[in-house]
Amino acid sequence: MSLTFCNVHFTQQPQRVVYVSGSLMKNLKLSGKKSVHLRFGGERIPAAVKPINKAGKHLYLGSGIRKEIKIPKAGGVFLRSLQEGEVQIGPLIGVLSDGPTASASSPFGSRTGFIKQLLRYGSKQSYIFAFTPRDIHWENETVNGYFLNEAGNFIRKKVPLPDVVYNRLPSRRAETTTSITQLRERFIRRRIPFFNWSFFNKSDIYRMLEKDTLVGRYVPESIMSPTPDQIKDLLDRHSLIYYKPNSGSLGHGIYRLSRIPKSGYYARYRKSGKNALLRFGSFAGLMRTLQARHGRSLRGYVAQQGIRLIEIDGCPIDFRFHMHKNGRNQWVVVGIGAKKAGKGSVTTHLKNGGSLLTPDQALARAFGSRAEEVLKNAKNVAITLAEAIESHHQHLIGEIGFDIGIDMDEKIWMFEANAKPGRSIFKHPSLRAEGRASVEHILEHCLYLSKFRRRES
Ligand SMILES: Nc1ncnc2c1ncn2[C@@H]1O[C@H](COP(=O)(O)OP(=O)(O)O)[C@@H](O)[C@H]1O
Ligand SMILES: [Mg+2]
Protein backbone atom coordinates (compact mmCIF):
# COMPACT_ATOMS: atom_id res chain seq x y z
CA MET A 1 0.00 0.00 0.00
CA SER A 2 1.26 3.47 -0.74
CA LEU A 3 0.17 6.78 0.69
CA THR A 4 0.50 10.16 -1.01
CA PHE A 5 -0.49 13.63 0.09
CA CYS A 6 -2.02 15.61 -2.77
CA ASN A 7 -4.14 18.60 -3.67
CA VAL A 8 -7.71 17.89 -4.70
CA HIS A 9 -9.35 20.40 -7.05
CA PHE A 10 -12.87 20.56 -8.42
CA THR A 11 -13.73 21.04 -12.11
CA GLN A 12 -17.08 21.63 -13.78
CA GLN A 13 -16.71 18.54 -16.01
CA PRO A 14 -19.97 16.61 -15.75
CA GLN A 15 -18.35 13.31 -16.82
CA ARG A 16 -16.91 10.78 -14.46
CA VAL A 17 -13.35 11.77 -15.11
CA VAL A 18 -10.29 12.49 -12.97
CA TYR A 19 -7.32 14.46 -14.17
CA VAL A 20 -4.09 13.38 -12.53
CA SER A 21 -0.77 15.21 -12.61
CA GLY A 22 2.26 13.30 -13.88
CA SER A 23 4.07 12.69 -10.60
CA LEU A 24 0.84 11.64 -8.94
CA MET A 25 0.16 9.18 -11.79
CA LYS A 26 3.48 7.58 -11.00
CA ASN A 27 2.87 7.55 -7.26
CA LEU A 28 -0.50 5.90 -7.64
CA LYS A 29 0.90 3.43 -10.19
CA LEU A 30 -1.68 4.62 -12.71
CA SER A 31 0.72 5.24 -15.61
CA GLY A 32 -0.78 3.81 -18.77
CA LYS A 33 -4.16 3.11 -17.09
CA LYS A 34 -7.42 4.34 -18.62
CA SER A 35 -9.64 3.95 -15.57
CA VAL A 36 -9.60 3.79 -11.81
CA HIS A 37 -11.98 3.02 -8.97
CA LEU A 38 -12.28 5.87 -6.51
CA ARG A 39 -13.27 5.27 -2.91
CA PHE A 40 -14.41 7.83 -0.40
CA GLY A 41 -15.67 6.65 2.98
CA GLY A 42 -18.23 3.95 2.22
CA GLU A 43 -18.66 5.02 -1.46
CA ARG A 44 -16.89 3.58 -4.49
CA ILE A 45 -17.21 4.48 -8.20
CA PRO A 46 -15.35 3.88 -11.46
CA ALA A 47 -13.85 6.88 -13.29
CA ALA A 48 -11.82 7.57 -16.42
CA VAL A 49 -8.24 8.72 -15.84
CA LYS A 50 -6.65 11.53 -17.86
CA PRO A 51 -3.04 12.53 -17.23
CA ILE A 52 -2.29 16.25 -17.20
CA ASN A 53 0.92 18.11 -17.50
CA LYS A 54 1.37 19.89 -14.19
CA ALA A 55 4.14 19.96 -11.61
CA GLY A 56 3.37 18.63 -8.13
CA LYS A 57 0.69 16.25 -6.95
CA HIS A 58 -2.75 17.29 -8.13
CA LEU A 59 -6.05 15.57 -8.64
CA TYR A 60 -8.95 17.25 -10.47
CA LEU A 61 -12.37 15.77 -9.85
CA GLY A 62 -15.21 16.35 -12.27
CA SER A 63 -18.53 17.32 -10.72
CA GLY A 64 -20.01 13.99 -11.86
CA ILE A 65 -17.66 12.18 -9.54
CA ARG A 66 -17.68 14.61 -6.72
CA LYS A 67 -21.46 14.59 -6.42
CA GLU A 68 -21.72 10.85 -6.60
CA ILE A 69 -19.19 10.02 -3.92
CA LYS A 70 -19.92 13.24 -2.00
CA ILE A 71 -16.46 14.75 -1.62
CA PRO A 72 -17.19 17.75 0.61
CA LYS A 73 -14.43 20.12 -0.45
CA ALA A 74 -11.21 20.73 -2.32
CA GLY A 75 -7.81 20.93 -0.58
CA GLY A 76 -4.96 18.81 0.75
CA VAL A 77 -5.76 15.16 1.50
CA PHE A 78 -4.26 11.72 1.41
CA LEU A 79 -4.61 9.20 -1.37
CA ARG A 80 -4.16 5.57 -0.62
CA SER A 81 -3.63 3.22 -3.50
CA LEU A 82 -5.28 -0.07 -2.73
CA GLN A 83 -5.18 -3.09 -5.00
CA GLU A 84 -4.75 -2.65 -8.77
CA GLY A 85 -6.46 0.47 -9.99
CA GLU A 86 -8.25 1.45 -6.79
CA VAL A 87 -7.55 4.73 -5.03
CA GLN A 88 -9.01 5.82 -1.71
CA ILE A 89 -9.40 9.52 -0.89
CA GLY A 90 -9.43 10.42 2.77
CA PRO A 91 -9.52 9.71 5.52
CA LEU A 92 -13.10 10.62 6.28
CA ILE A 93 -13.21 10.99 10.07
CA GLY A 94 -16.45 11.19 12.07
CA VAL A 95 -16.65 12.60 15.59
CA LEU A 96 -19.78 11.29 17.27
CA SER A 97 -21.31 13.44 19.98
CA ASP A 98 -24.54 15.09 21.02
CA GLY A 99 -25.92 18.09 22.83
CA PRO A 100 -28.88 18.99 24.98
CA THR A 101 -30.51 21.23 22.39
CA ALA A 102 -30.76 21.33 18.63
CA SER A 103 -28.90 24.63 18.39
CA ALA A 104 -27.23 25.32 15.04
CA SER A 105 -24.27 27.23 16.44
CA SER A 106 -23.61 24.95 19.38
CA PRO A 107 -25.09 21.54 18.50
CA PHE A 108 -22.81 19.68 20.90
CA GLY A 109 -23.46 21.73 24.01
CA SER A 110 -20.40 22.35 26.17
CA ARG A 111 -18.35 20.02 23.95
CA THR A 112 -18.74 22.31 20.93
CA GLY A 113 -15.48 24.18 21.57
CA PHE A 114 -13.43 20.99 21.78
CA ILE A 115 -15.12 19.54 18.70
CA LYS A 116 -14.38 22.69 16.73
CA GLN A 117 -10.75 22.47 17.83
CA LEU A 118 -10.59 18.88 16.57
CA LEU A 119 -12.18 19.85 13.27
CA ARG A 120 -9.87 22.83 12.84
CA TYR A 121 -6.70 20.77 13.33
CA GLY A 122 -8.02 17.74 11.50
CA SER A 123 -9.15 19.61 8.39
CA LYS A 124 -5.52 20.18 7.47
CA GLN A 125 -4.99 16.54 6.64
CA SER A 126 -8.37 14.86 6.43
CA TYR A 127 -12.08 15.25 5.84
CA ILE A 128 -13.35 15.52 9.38
CA PHE A 129 -16.87 16.20 10.59
CA ALA A 130 -18.94 15.87 13.73
CA PHE A 131 -22.36 14.23 13.90
CA THR A 132 -25.07 13.12 16.29
CA PRO A 133 -26.80 9.72 16.21
CA ARG A 134 -29.77 11.39 14.48
CA ASP A 135 -27.61 12.54 11.55
CA ILE A 136 -26.94 9.03 10.26
CA HIS A 137 -29.12 7.75 7.45
CA TRP A 138 -28.56 4.00 7.56
CA GLU A 139 -30.73 3.15 4.55
CA ASN A 140 -28.57 5.04 2.09
CA GLU A 141 -25.47 4.92 4.31
CA THR A 142 -24.91 8.66 4.52
CA VAL A 143 -24.32 11.12 7.32
CA ASN A 144 -25.45 14.73 7.40
CA GLY A 145 -22.25 15.93 9.03
CA TYR A 146 -21.15 19.19 10.63
CA PHE A 147 -18.04 20.44 8.82
CA LEU A 148 -16.13 23.60 9.63
CA ASN A 149 -15.90 26.35 7.01
CA GLU A 150 -13.08 28.85 6.57
CA ALA A 151 -14.73 31.26 8.99
CA GLY A 152 -14.84 28.58 11.70
CA ASN A 153 -18.60 28.04 11.52
CA PHE A 154 -20.43 24.77 11.09
CA ILE A 155 -21.82 23.89 7.67
CA ARG A 156 -23.85 20.78 7.00
CA LYS A 157 -22.73 18.40 4.27
CA LYS A 158 -23.96 14.97 3.29
CA VAL A 159 -21.11 12.46 3.16
CA PRO A 160 -20.75 8.67 3.04
CA LEU A 161 -20.19 6.66 6.23
CA PRO A 162 -16.77 7.59 7.65
CA ASP A 163 -13.57 5.51 7.71
CA VAL A 164 -13.29 5.82 11.50
CA VAL A 165 -15.45 7.11 14.36
CA TYR A 166 -14.20 8.91 17.48
CA ASN A 167 -16.94 8.47 20.07
CA ARG A 168 -17.64 11.40 22.41
CA LEU A 169 -21.29 10.69 23.16
CA PRO A 170 -21.86 12.61 26.39
CA SER A 171 -24.53 10.65 28.19
CA ARG A 172 -23.79 7.51 30.14
CA ARG A 173 -27.47 6.65 30.27
CA ALA A 174 -28.11 7.18 26.55
CA GLU A 175 -25.18 4.98 25.75
CA THR A 176 -26.85 1.95 27.26
CA THR A 177 -30.03 2.31 25.16
CA THR A 178 -30.75 -0.20 22.40
CA SER A 179 -30.60 2.49 19.72
CA ILE A 180 -27.01 3.43 20.61
CA THR A 181 -26.00 -0.21 21.04
CA GLN A 182 -27.43 -0.88 17.59
CA LEU A 183 -25.62 2.15 16.17
CA ARG A 184 -22.29 0.83 17.43
CA GLU A 185 -22.97 -2.64 16.11
CA ARG A 186 -23.82 -1.23 12.70
CA PHE A 187 -20.45 0.46 12.50
CA ILE A 188 -18.66 -2.71 13.62
CA ARG A 189 -20.56 -4.85 11.12
CA ARG A 190 -19.31 -2.54 8.36
CA ARG A 191 -15.77 -2.86 9.77
CA ILE A 192 -15.60 0.83 10.58
CA PRO A 193 -13.26 1.28 13.57
CA PHE A 194 -15.15 2.87 16.46
CA PHE A 195 -13.37 4.24 19.54
CA ASN A 196 -13.93 4.58 22.42
CA TRP A 197 -16.68 2.04 22.81
CA SER A 198 -18.43 3.48 25.88
CA PHE A 199 -18.02 4.94 29.35
CA PHE A 200 -16.27 2.69 31.85
CA ASN A 201 -17.81 1.43 35.06
CA LYS A 202 -15.65 1.67 38.17
CA SER A 203 -16.36 -1.88 39.33
CA ASP A 204 -15.74 -3.36 35.85
CA ILE A 205 -12.33 -1.73 35.78
CA TYR A 206 -11.41 -2.73 39.36
CA ARG A 207 -12.55 -6.28 38.78
CA MET A 208 -10.67 -6.46 35.50
CA LEU A 209 -7.42 -5.16 36.96
CA GLU A 210 -7.25 -6.59 40.48
CA LYS A 211 -6.66 -10.07 39.09
CA ASP A 212 -3.99 -8.87 36.69
CA THR A 213 -0.59 -9.87 38.07
CA LEU A 214 1.14 -6.89 36.49
CA VAL A 215 -1.16 -4.07 37.60
CA GLY A 216 -3.34 -5.52 40.38
CA ARG A 217 -1.11 -3.88 42.98
CA TYR A 218 -2.03 -0.37 41.76
CA VAL A 219 -5.73 -0.83 42.49
CA PRO A 220 -6.80 -0.16 46.10
CA GLU A 221 -8.67 -3.07 47.66
CA SER A 222 -12.25 -2.75 46.38
CA ILE A 223 -15.52 -4.50 47.17
CA MET A 224 -18.44 -4.17 44.75
CA SER A 225 -21.93 -3.87 46.25
CA PRO A 226 -20.56 -4.56 49.74
CA THR A 227 -22.73 -5.71 52.65
CA PRO A 228 -22.55 -3.63 55.87
CA ASP A 229 -20.36 -6.37 57.37
CA GLN A 230 -17.94 -6.12 54.50
CA ILE A 231 -17.82 -2.33 54.79
CA LYS A 232 -17.13 -2.62 58.52
CA ASP A 233 -14.38 -5.14 57.94
CA LEU A 234 -12.73 -2.96 55.28
CA LEU A 235 -12.96 0.04 57.59
CA ASP A 236 -11.53 -1.93 60.52
CA ARG A 237 -8.56 -2.99 58.48
CA HIS A 238 -7.79 0.28 56.70
CA SER A 239 -9.38 2.83 59.08
CA LEU A 240 -10.10 4.95 55.98
CA ILE A 241 -12.28 3.97 53.01
CA TYR A 242 -14.00 5.58 50.04
CA TYR A 243 -17.56 4.61 49.33
CA LYS A 244 -18.55 5.63 45.83
CA PRO A 245 -21.11 5.03 43.08
CA ASN A 246 -20.05 2.67 40.33
CA SER A 247 -21.05 4.88 37.44
CA GLY A 248 -20.64 8.20 39.19
CA SER A 249 -18.61 11.18 38.07
CA LEU A 250 -17.51 14.59 39.34
CA GLY A 251 -17.44 13.30 42.89
CA HIS A 252 -21.24 13.02 43.10
CA GLY A 253 -22.39 10.69 45.88
CA ILE A 254 -18.89 9.92 47.19
CA TYR A 255 -18.24 9.36 50.91
CA ARG A 256 -14.96 9.32 52.74
CA LEU A 257 -15.50 7.10 55.78
CA SER A 258 -13.03 6.85 58.62
CA ARG A 259 -12.78 5.17 61.98
CA ILE A 260 -10.91 6.76 64.85
CA PRO A 261 -10.49 4.49 67.89
CA LYS A 262 -12.30 5.72 71.03
CA SER A 263 -13.86 8.53 68.99
CA GLY A 264 -16.16 6.83 66.48
CA TYR A 265 -16.96 6.82 62.80
CA TYR A 266 -16.80 9.82 60.49
CA ALA A 267 -18.40 10.46 57.13
CA ARG A 268 -17.25 13.27 54.90
CA TYR A 269 -19.28 14.13 51.81
CA ARG A 270 -20.59 16.92 49.67
CA LYS A 271 -24.06 18.25 50.35
CA SER A 272 -25.75 21.13 48.49
CA GLY A 273 -22.44 22.54 47.33
CA LYS A 274 -20.84 22.41 50.79
CA ASN A 275 -18.57 19.95 52.57
CA ALA A 276 -20.28 18.03 55.34
CA LEU A 277 -18.71 16.03 58.17
CA LEU A 278 -20.76 13.76 60.45
CA ARG A 279 -19.66 11.77 63.49
CA PHE A 280 -21.32 8.54 64.58
CA GLY A 281 -20.91 6.70 67.87
CA SER A 282 -21.56 3.36 66.20
CA PHE A 283 -21.07 1.75 62.81
CA ALA A 284 -24.80 0.93 62.69
CA GLY A 285 -25.59 4.63 63.03
CA LEU A 286 -23.34 5.44 60.08
CA MET A 287 -25.00 2.76 57.94
CA ARG A 288 -28.48 4.00 58.85
CA THR A 289 -27.63 7.48 57.61
CA LEU A 290 -26.21 6.17 54.33
CA GLN A 291 -29.31 4.00 53.86
CA ALA A 292 -31.59 6.94 54.56
CA ARG A 293 -29.76 9.12 52.04
CA HIS A 294 -29.51 6.61 49.20
CA GLY A 295 -31.66 3.53 49.84
CA ARG A 296 -31.49 0.93 47.12
CA SER A 297 -29.01 2.86 44.99
CA LEU A 298 -26.29 1.81 47.47
CA ARG A 299 -26.32 -1.49 45.58
CA GLY A 300 -24.52 0.34 42.82
CA TYR A 301 -21.74 1.42 45.18
CA VAL A 302 -18.21 0.20 45.69
CA ALA A 303 -16.23 0.37 48.93
CA GLN A 304 -12.54 0.98 48.51
CA GLN A 305 -9.48 1.11 50.69
CA GLY A 306 -8.73 4.79 51.26
CA ILE A 307 -5.29 6.01 50.29
CA ARG A 308 -3.53 8.68 52.36
CA LEU A 309 -2.46 10.94 49.55
CA ILE A 310 0.44 13.35 49.55
CA GLU A 311 -0.71 16.81 50.66
CA ILE A 312 0.02 20.47 50.19
CA ASP A 313 -1.05 22.81 53.01
CA GLY A 314 -3.08 19.97 54.50
CA CYS A 315 -5.02 19.36 51.26
CA PRO A 316 -4.68 16.01 49.47
CA ILE A 317 -3.41 15.94 45.90
CA ASP A 318 -4.05 13.50 43.12
CA PHE A 319 -3.35 13.49 39.42
CA ARG A 320 -5.12 13.27 36.10
CA PHE A 321 -3.04 11.34 33.57
CA HIS A 322 -4.44 11.96 30.10
CA MET A 323 -3.43 9.02 27.93
CA HIS A 324 -3.65 8.63 24.17
CA LYS A 325 -2.80 6.06 21.60
CA ASN A 326 -0.49 7.56 19.02
CA GLY A 327 -0.18 7.05 15.28
CA ARG A 328 1.76 3.84 15.85
CA ASN A 329 -0.87 2.38 18.14
CA GLN A 330 1.21 2.85 21.30
CA TRP A 331 0.04 4.37 24.58
CA VAL A 332 1.59 7.67 25.61
CA VAL A 333 1.07 10.05 28.53
CA VAL A 334 0.10 13.29 26.80
CA GLY A 335 -0.81 15.55 29.72
CA ILE A 336 -0.69 15.44 33.52
CA GLY A 337 -2.57 17.77 35.85
CA ALA A 338 -2.11 17.79 39.61
CA LYS A 339 -5.38 18.40 41.45
CA LYS A 340 -5.34 19.82 44.96
CA ALA A 341 -8.50 19.23 46.96
CA GLY A 342 -10.41 22.19 48.37
CA LYS A 343 -10.28 22.52 52.17
CA GLY A 344 -12.36 19.76 53.73
CA SER A 345 -13.35 18.29 50.36
CA VAL A 346 -13.60 14.54 49.83
CA THR A 347 -12.40 14.74 46.24
CA THR A 348 -10.00 16.88 44.25
CA HIS A 349 -12.55 18.00 41.64
CA LEU A 350 -12.22 21.63 40.60
CA LYS A 351 -16.00 21.94 40.92
CA ASN A 352 -15.63 21.08 44.62
CA GLY A 353 -13.16 23.86 45.34
CA GLY A 354 -10.06 22.06 44.06
CA SER A 355 -7.25 23.77 42.22
CA LEU A 356 -4.98 22.75 39.39
CA LEU A 357 -1.18 22.65 39.53
CA THR A 358 1.49 21.29 37.24
CA PRO A 359 2.84 17.89 38.34
CA ASP A 360 6.27 19.45 38.90
CA GLN A 361 4.86 22.01 41.33
CA ALA A 362 2.97 19.35 43.25
CA LEU A 363 5.68 16.71 43.37
CA ALA A 364 8.51 19.08 44.24
CA ARG A 365 6.56 20.14 47.35
CA ALA A 366 5.95 16.52 48.35
CA PHE A 367 9.13 14.75 47.34
CA GLY A 368 11.85 17.39 46.85
CA SER A 369 14.73 16.03 44.83
CA ARG A 370 12.92 12.69 44.35
CA ALA A 371 10.12 14.37 42.37
CA GLU A 372 11.46 13.60 38.91
CA GLU A 373 11.98 9.94 39.74
CA VAL A 374 8.48 9.62 41.20
CA LEU A 375 6.92 11.21 38.12
CA LYS A 376 8.85 8.96 35.78
CA ASN A 377 7.68 5.91 37.68
CA ALA A 378 4.06 7.12 37.69
CA LYS A 379 4.17 7.60 33.91
CA ASN A 380 5.41 4.06 33.41
CA VAL A 381 2.68 2.73 35.68
CA ALA A 382 0.03 4.70 33.76
CA ILE A 383 1.19 3.19 30.47
CA THR A 384 1.17 -0.32 31.95
CA LEU A 385 -2.35 0.29 33.30
CA ALA A 386 -3.60 1.49 29.91
CA GLU A 387 -2.12 -1.53 28.19
CA ALA A 388 -3.73 -3.82 30.76
CA ILE A 389 -7.19 -2.27 30.33
CA GLU A 390 -6.88 -2.48 26.59
CA SER A 391 -5.82 -6.11 26.68
CA HIS A 392 -8.81 -7.08 28.84
CA HIS A 393 -11.29 -5.00 26.83
CA GLN A 394 -13.08 -6.30 23.76
CA HIS A 395 -13.29 -3.04 21.86
CA LEU A 396 -11.00 -0.30 20.60
CA ILE A 397 -9.73 2.20 23.17
CA GLY A 398 -7.72 5.19 22.06
CA GLU A 399 -7.91 7.51 25.05
CA ILE A 400 -8.09 7.13 28.83
CA GLY A 401 -8.08 9.67 31.67
CA PHE A 402 -6.70 8.11 34.84
CA ASP A 403 -7.25 9.51 38.31
CA ILE A 404 -4.05 8.52 40.02
CA GLY A 405 -2.96 8.96 43.61
CA ILE A 406 0.52 8.84 45.12
CA ASP A 407 1.08 8.14 48.82
CA MET A 408 3.94 9.20 51.10
CA ASP A 409 5.77 5.94 50.37
CA GLU A 410 5.78 6.91 46.68
CA LYS A 411 3.32 4.15 45.91
CA ILE A 412 1.08 4.72 42.88
CA TRP A 413 -2.69 4.04 43.06
CA MET A 414 -5.35 4.10 40.38
CA PHE A 415 -8.78 5.39 41.49
CA GLU A 416 -10.56 5.70 38.21
CA ALA A 417 -10.21 5.20 34.47
CA ASN A 418 -12.32 7.53 32.33
CA ALA A 419 -13.04 6.49 28.75
CA LYS A 420 -14.19 9.99 27.82
CA PRO A 421 -11.96 12.17 29.94
CA GLY A 422 -12.84 15.82 30.45
CA ARG A 423 -10.44 18.45 29.25
CA SER A 424 -10.35 20.88 32.16
CA ILE A 425 -6.66 20.24 32.97
CA PHE A 426 -5.77 21.70 29.57
CA LYS A 427 -7.14 25.09 30.63
CA HIS A 428 -4.12 25.54 32.91
CA PRO A 429 -1.78 28.03 31.16
CA SER A 430 1.14 25.60 31.49
CA LEU A 431 -0.85 22.72 29.99
CA ARG A 432 -2.15 24.37 26.81
CA ALA A 433 0.54 22.76 24.66
CA GLU A 434 -0.47 19.38 26.09
CA GLY A 435 -4.07 20.18 25.14
CA ARG A 436 -3.00 20.68 21.55
CA ALA A 437 -0.91 17.51 21.68
CA SER A 438 -3.99 15.66 22.89
CA VAL A 439 -5.97 16.82 19.85
CA GLU A 440 -3.09 15.86 17.56
CA HIS A 441 -2.93 12.40 19.09
CA ILE A 442 -6.63 11.80 18.52
CA LEU A 443 -6.19 12.69 14.86
CA GLU A 444 -3.01 10.65 14.49
CA HIS A 445 -4.79 7.68 15.95
CA CYS A 446 -7.71 8.20 13.54
CA LEU A 447 -5.20 8.15 10.68
CA TYR A 448 -3.77 4.94 12.09
CA LEU A 449 -7.14 3.21 12.51
CA SER A 450 -8.34 4.23 9.06
CA LYS A 451 -5.02 2.96 7.62
CA PHE A 452 -4.11 6.42 6.37
CA ARG A 453 -0.83 6.29 8.17
CA ARG A 454 2.24 4.34 7.22
CA ARG A 455 2.67 1.36 9.48
CA GLU A 456 6.07 0.09 10.40
CA SER A 457 6.44 -3.41 9.09
N1 LIG B 1 -9.61 4.95 47.38
C1 LIG B 1 -9.38 6.25 47.43
N2 LIG B 1 -8.46 6.77 48.28
C2 LIG B 1 -8.21 8.10 48.35
N3 LIG B 1 -8.84 9.00 47.58
C3 LIG B 1 -9.77 8.57 46.71
C4 LIG B 1 -10.09 7.17 46.60
N4 LIG B 1 -11.06 7.04 45.65
C5 LIG B 1 -11.32 8.28 45.22
N5 LIG B 1 -10.57 9.21 45.84
C6 LIG B 1 -10.59 10.67 45.63
O1 LIG B 1 -11.85 11.04 45.11
C7 LIG B 1 -11.72 11.53 43.78
C8 LIG B 1 -12.91 11.07 42.96
O2 LIG B 1 -12.94 9.67 42.90
P1 LIG B 1 -13.19 8.90 41.53
O3 LIG B 1 -13.08 7.46 41.80
O4 LIG B 1 -12.33 9.48 40.47
O5 LIG B 1 -14.74 9.23 41.26
P2 LIG B 1 -15.49 10.24 40.25
O6 LIG B 1 -16.08 9.37 39.20
O7 LIG B 1 -16.54 10.92 41.02
O8 LIG B 1 -14.46 11.16 39.67
C9 LIG B 1 -10.39 11.01 43.29
O9 LIG B 1 -9.86 11.82 42.27
C10 LIG B 1 -9.57 11.07 44.57
O10 LIG B 1 -9.17 12.40 44.85
MG1 LIG C 1 -12.62 10.80 38.84
Side-chain angles (χ1 to χ4, degrees):
M1 180 207 80
S2 85
L3 207 56
T4 318
F5 198 75
C6 88
N7 258 304
V8 165
H9 310 264
F10 287 169
T11 75
Q12 294 311 317
Q13 279 275 349
Q15 289 89 355
R16 281 188 180 176
V17 58
V18 286
Y19 298 91
V20 187
S21 68
S23 76
L24 191 56
M25 285 291 279
K26 223 178 271 154
N27 260 275
L28 299 174
K29 301 200 180 62
L30 288 178
S31 312
K33 291 238 158 59
K34 294 263 180 303
S35 68
V36 66
H37 273 93
L38 285 182
R39 257 182 65 183
F40 181 57
E43 295 276 5
R44 184 173 181 272
I45 53 157
V49 178
K50 298 245 164 83
I52 47 159
N53 202 351
K54 185 175 165 95
K57 301 199 172 83
H58 299 273
L59 189 74
Y60 291 78
L61 297 177
S63 64
I65 293 183
R66 181 168 97 222
K67 287 204 184 105
E68 205 143 336
I69 57 173
K70 305 175 198 68
I71 305 263
K73 59 173 189 174
V77 280
F78 286 106
L79 296 180
R80 213 182 135 218
S81 62
L82 306 170
Q83 76 257 45
E84 274 293 281
E86 185 165 357
V87 171
Q88 186 184 7
I89 305 174
L92 180 59
I93 300 174
V95 179
L96 175 62
S97 193
D98 211 339
T101 55
S103 142
S105 61
S106 148
F108 306 103
S110 56
R111 286 155 299 280
T112 304
F114 165 53
I115 286 175
K116 280 194 168 179
Q117 192 187 9
L118 261 177
L119 265 47
R120 206 159 44 236
Y121 274 89
S123 304
K124 291 176 192 147
Q125 48 179 345
S126 67
Y127 292 109
I128 181 169
F129 64 94
F131 66 109
T132 74
R134 296 172 301 284
D135 298 322
I136 314 173
H137 203 304
W138 289 109
E139 287 83 82
N140 50 22
E141 306 211 326
T142 58
V143 186
N144 189 18
Y146 290 84
F147 283 79
L148 215 54
N149 67 13
E150 295 289 321
N153 300 318
F154 285 125
I155 42 165
R156 308 298 299 270
K157 285 192 175 165
K158 195 163 275 178
V159 284
L161 292 178
D163 297 314
V164 56
V165 177
Y166 173 49
N167 173 22
R168 288 300 302 209
L169 280 174
S171 158
R172 194 178 271 274
R173 185 158 335 130
E175 238 183 20
T176 60
T177 59
T178 42
S179 74
I180 298 296
T181 307
Q182 200 179 44
L183 174 153
R184 283 188 295 224
E185 277 162 5
R186 282 173 156 160
F187 279 113
I188 299 307
R189 217 176 304 138
R190 287 165 175 83
R191 297 183 192 287
I192 297 172
F194 184 100
F195 77 108
N196 297 319
W197 190 251
S198 64
F199 284 96
F200 292 142
N201 232 324
K202 289 192 180 60
S203 59
D204 291 347
I205 294 288
Y206 300 147
R207 218 174 273 144
M208 170 196 287
L209 296 185
E210 67 189 4
K211 283 183 278 168
D212 187 300
T213 47
L214 210 56
V215 298
R217 72 188 104 151
Y218 304 119
V219 182
E221 183 182 351
S222 310
I223 304 173
M224 326 315 161
S225 311
T227 62
D229 283 348
Q230 285 174 310
I231 299 177
K232 182 160 188 308
D233 172 62
L234 197 67
L235 200 43
D236 284 344
R237 284 188 290 117
H238 296 290
S239 73
L240 172 70
I241 68 171
Y242 269 70
Y243 190 49
K244 47 192 187 181
N246 234 328
S247 12
S249 64
L250 301 170
H252 294 311
I254 299 192
Y255 292 86
R256 182 184 194 269
L257 308 178
S258 56
R259 182 183 61 89
I260 301 179
K262 301 205 185 74
S263 168
Y265 294 90
Y266 292 82
R268 255 185 210 286
Y269 59 101
R270 189 108 178 140
K271 187 186 176 190
S272 331
K274 293 206 178 82
N275 298 319
L277 174 64
L278 296 179
R279 191 190 82 85
F280 301 90
S282 70
F283 180 76
L286 163 65
M287 280 321 290
R288 268 197 303 277
T289 296
L290 293 174
Q291 282 290 350
R293 285 180 59 84
H294 298 279
R296 284 160 55 109
S297 64
L298 288 183
R299 282 187 212 161
Y301 265 62
V302 29
Q304 186 171 67
Q305 161 191 8
I307 304 302
R308 305 213 179 255
L309 298 170
I310 51 170
E311 296 183 349
I312 291 184
D313 311 323
C315 298
I317 295 201
D318 72 359
F319 301 83
R320 168 53 63 90
F321 278 59
H322 202 116
M323 318 289 296
H324 281 285
K325 275 210 143 177
N326 65 14
R328 280 168 296 156
N329 207 29
Q330 297 156 329
W331 284 104
V332 278
V333 184
V334 171
I336 306 174
K339 301 174 294 174
K340 178 176 161 217
K343 273 256 179 286
S345 171
V346 182
T347 73
T348 54
H349 292 104
L350 303 181
K351 283 206 168 77
N352 298 352
S355 50
L356 199 59
L357 287 76
T358 67
D360 299 335
Q361 286 169 333
L363 291 168
R365 290 280 291 269
F367 297 112
S369 61
R370 301 262 320 136
E372 211 174 305
E373 185 71 25
V374 173
L375 185 61
K376 202 172 116 199
N377 181 35
K379 284 185 188 170
N380 287 334
V381 169
I383 288 174
T384 316
L385 280 164
E387 288 169 347
I389 291 180
E390 187 189 10
S391 73
H392 291 290
H393 194 74
Q394 291 162 2
H395 305 286
L396 293 175
I397 308 176
E399 181 177 21
I400 300 177
F402 284 122
D403 288 328
I404 285 189
I406 305 181
D407 67 21
M408 283 311 292
D409 300 327
E410 301 183 5
K411 262 204 82 167
I412 314 286
W413 299 93
M414 201 250 345
F415 301 134
E416 192 184 27
N418 294 281
K420 303 200 188 143
R423 305 189 60 83
S424 53
I425 62 164
F426 300 128
K427 296 208 179 93
H428 190 289
S430 306
L431 293 174
R432 291 229 178 95
E434 279 89 340
R436 280 192 296 276
S438 161
V439 166
E440 279 158 18
H441 275 81
I442 295 166
L443 296 166
E444 279 289 305
H445 196 55
C446 286
L447 293 186
Y448 170 82
L449 289 174
S450 59
K451 303 199 173 71
F452 272 89
R453 203 176 185 292
R454 280 178 199 90
R455 298 189 184 204
E456 268 103 270
S457 46

